Amino acid sequence: MKLLVIGSGGREHALVWKLSQSSRVEKIYVAPGNGGMEGVERVDIKTHEIVALADFAEANGIGLTVVGPELPLSLGIVDEFKRRGLKVFGPEKLGAELEVSKVFAKEFMRRHNIPTADFSVVTDYVSGEEIIKSGKYGNPVVVKADGLARGKGSFVCKSDKEALIALDYLMNKRIFGNAGDSVVIERFLPGREISFTVVTDGSWIVPIVTSLDHKKAYDGDVGPNTGGMGAISPCPYVDASLYKKIMNEIIRPAVDGMMEEGRKFTGVLYAGLMLVEDGPKVLEFNVRFGDPETEAILLRLKSDLLDLLEAGANGDISGVKLDWNTKPSVDVVLASEGYPGKYKKGKEIAGLDNLTEDIIVFHAGTEFRDGKFYTSGGRVLNLASVGEDLTQARNKVYRAIEKIKFDGMYYRKDIGMGK
Ligand SMILES: Nc1ncnc2c1ncn2[C@@H]1O[C@H](COP(=O)(O)OP(=O)(O)O)[C@@H](O)[C@H]1O
Ligand SMILES: [Mg+2]
């Protein structure tokens, strides 16, 4: 079967890496992909060009398209493909709303009694100002743009003053355009943040092993929020009873709630959770695989990923059972100095050919030119491995990282070490 994978980051490299192990895969195209993806054919179509992507899939006999990032999902790529009878894995536009609109997600959770932070929705600056000044949600308070903002639309504000600045950016200065038409103002939840992923066909749920992202830029979990600086799997903070609770109180009601509302959800459902004293609460939903969680997760998957994604595209995953390596995995992101803010590109990367076989490299932001790799993104590389235990896996990865060099390279040295 010929596959098309859409996206260009570490997550997509991990998907390509895993899918290429399937005996049923004949060829993989990636649009647009990155310089480090081996054995695939890159296609020069952007992720938002959903009609061009469908045209490509049609013209090239693609048997299954796998969508990595949220942008094409938000634009209805799955609807477009299905309309043409093309097989595609991911939620339709109505389902993607769970990630695309924070207002929809919060009100959905309220309707279905899914635990989340108390909140208000405002559609103008003055009403937002009133709520913030009233102190209704205490301090700190969280201000979130309704729409997609490349992971930069949520502000955890230490004071009313900060919250008003965030509100002003979103609603008056409109730094994210329409995404700030509506804003969620919510209570800050203190606790440990984890992510929880399942695959569903709208009714059946296939569990995915747990993982833990590290969102803050610097060691000790400080600094600005990033797309993720590293991940481990399993998540050490989710035991069997918490796992069951999350399934019963969050995942199951969400999947059923979407169905009830005529938004049958097929694809990856990813819940960003805060483990608060009185239980897990949802910070947000994503409707696709996490990055870098996917890198850590797929390293542990023994089964053929194509079976799962194909069944998902066919709308029935009830026959799929996944086998997992019980050993833990660690994935560390190597980033460009300045990320998640401004950073330089085009730095030569050295050392990639000195790595041993048990280190898996997932490229996130690289280009390949004249036999050399160069940086082209904020997150540049992921180095990942599986170990007998977490410490061994971590040591392997960090030893390997010492061999890699590029100008301005930085990474967290405490992935998987807890706070
Ligand atoms: N209510 C909250 N309490 C505490 N932290 C929060 C809350 N909401 C969001 N955060 C923090 O802000 C980050 C980004 O928020 P999130 O809802 O995931 O939006 P996005 O990923 O779209 O920016 C979260 O990963 C979490 O660290
Ligand atoms: Mg998030």
Side-chain angles (χ1 to χ4, degrees):
M1 187 189 296
K2 290 186 195 163
L3 307 183
L4 172 63
V5 174
I6 294 172
S8 62
R11 165 185 53 208
E12 287 75 19
H13 193 179
L15 287 166
V16 160
W17 170 81
K18 186 65 202 171
L19 286 166
S20 63
Q21 294 167 16
S22 169
S23 58
R24 291 194 294 127
V25 170
E26 192 184 318
K27 177 160 188 173
I28 303 181
Y29 296 91
V30 195
N34 69 46
M37 295 177 178
E38 284 164 39
V40 302
E41 185 169 328
R42 289 177 67 186
V43 181
D44 190 18
I45 306 176
K46 305 249 169 18
T47 61
H48 68 271
E49 296 171 323
I50 63 173
V51 172
L53 289 165
D55 289 344
F56 177 87
E58 226 163 37
N60 290 276
I62 301 297
L64 177 69
T65 297
V66 180
V67 187
E70 61 278 16
L71 181 64
L73 295 171
S74 76
L75 298 172
I77 191 170
V78 172
D79 311 60
E80 176 70 25
F81 273 59
K82 284 187 177 169
R83 218 173 4 250
R84 300 194 195 190
L86 295 164
K87 292 270 187 259
V88 57
F89 178 81
E92 292 173 15
K93 200 171 178 180
L94 282 176
E97 196 72 359
L98 213 41
E99 171 165 359
V100 172
S101 169
K102 293 241 187 319
V103 171
F104 171 79
K106 293 294 286 191
E107 290 176 341
F108 171 83
M109 289 188 267
R110 190 179 268 162
R111 287 195 289 279
H112 297 278
N113 289 317
I114 296 171
T116 187
D118 292 341
F119 71 100
S120 295
V121 173
V122 297
T123 51
D124 65 276
Y125 179 84
V126 176
S127 320
E129 188 181 22
E130 230 167 76
I131 288 174
I132 290 166
K133 284 188 171 161
S134 75
K136 189 173 176 188
Y137 298 112
N139 257 318
V141 65
V142 186
V143 176
K144 297 183 181 184
D146 175 38
L148 292 184
R150 300 180 316 274
K152 292 186 163 68
S154 295
F155 300 85
V156 176
C157 307
K158 288 187 207 76
S159 62
D160 290 2
K161 200 175 147 208
E162 256 185 60
L164 290 173
I165 293 171
L167 191 69
D168 179 51
Y169 279 159
L170 295 177
M171 303 204 92
N172 296 332
K173 302 209 166 74
R174 303 179 63 78
I175 55 168
F176 297 118
N178 293 346
D181 283 353
S182 304
V183 163
V184 173
I185 301 173
E186 70 178 32
R187 192 179 294 286
F188 175 82
L189 301 172
R192 216 183 262 289
E193 187 173 347
I194 64 155
S195 42
F196 195 90
T197 308
V198 300
V199 171
T200 177
D201 58 15
S203 51
W204 196 270
I205 296 171
V206 169
I208 300 292
V209 288
T210 60
S211 62
L212 179 73
D213 185 9
H214 296 63
K215 290 199 183 294
K216 297 282 196 289
Y218 312 127
D219 287 355
D221 240 9
V222 298
N225 254 320
T226 70
M229 294 298 292
I232 59 172
S233 176
C235 174
Y237 311 121
V238 181
D239 60 14
S241 97
L242 179 57
Y243 188 92
K244 226 169 159 180
K245 199 175 163 72
I246 294 169
M247 275 298 205
N248 292 338
E249 293 177 13
I250 293 168
I251 302 296
R252 180 42 75 187
V255 170
D256 292 350
M258 290 297 276
M259 184 74 111
E260 274 166 35
E261 297 192 8
R263 293 172 184 269
K264 180 176 177 184
F265 187 94
T266 312
V268 174
L269 182 62
Y270 165 123
L273 305 175
M274 195 64 92
L275 303 181
V276 192
E277 234 167 66
D278 57 337
K281 291 196 159 88
V282 179
L283 298 176
E284 66 159 351
F285 285 113
N286 291 333
V287 298
R288 32 86 193 168
F289 284 112
D291 189 355
E293 292 94 325
T294 303
E295 289 87 315
I297 285 171
L298 291 183
L299 268 190
R300 298 184 54 212
L301 179 61
K302 292 206 254 178
S303 314
D304 188 338
L305 179 62
L306 180 59
D307 291 345
L308 174 69
L309 302 186
E310 194 183 18
N314 287 329
D316 180 6
I317 59 170
S318 60
V320 180
K321 215 197 138 297
L322 300 179
D323 274 332
W324 300 96
N325 191 340
T326 54
K327 293 174 186 169
S329 60
V330 172
D331 175 274
V332 178
V333 172
L334 307 185
S336 301
E337 186 181 348
Y339 173 79
K342 282 205 174 96
Y343 53 83
K344 296 204 173 96
K345 297 181 187 179
K347 304 291 180 192
E348 187 180 333
I349 303 168
L352 278 170
D353 37 19
N354 293 336
L355 302 177
T356 49
E357 240 173 41
D358 57 343
I359 300 294
I360 309 295
V361 181
F362 298 122
H363 291 241
T366 69
E367 252 170 44
F368 190 67
R369 256 191 342 259
D370 305 326
K372 287 178 184 163
F373 283 105
Y374 295 88
T375 67
S376 67
R379 292 191 289 180
V380 176
L381 295 166
N382 296 261
L383 264 61
S385 197
V386 170
E388 290 305 316
D389 56 28
L390 189 58
T391 308
Q392 199 211 17
R394 208 170 43 223
N395 288 344
K396 272 207 260 184
V397 172
Y398 280 112
R399 267 201 302 273
I401 289 175
E402 285 171 20
K403 298 180 186 163
I404 308 286
K405 284 193 177 59
F406 59 85
D407 223 26
M409 170 174 125
Y410 92 92
Y411 57 95
R412 277 186 59 167
K413 298 180 179 62
D414 63 347
I415 300 302
M417 288 173 58
K419 262 188 227 176

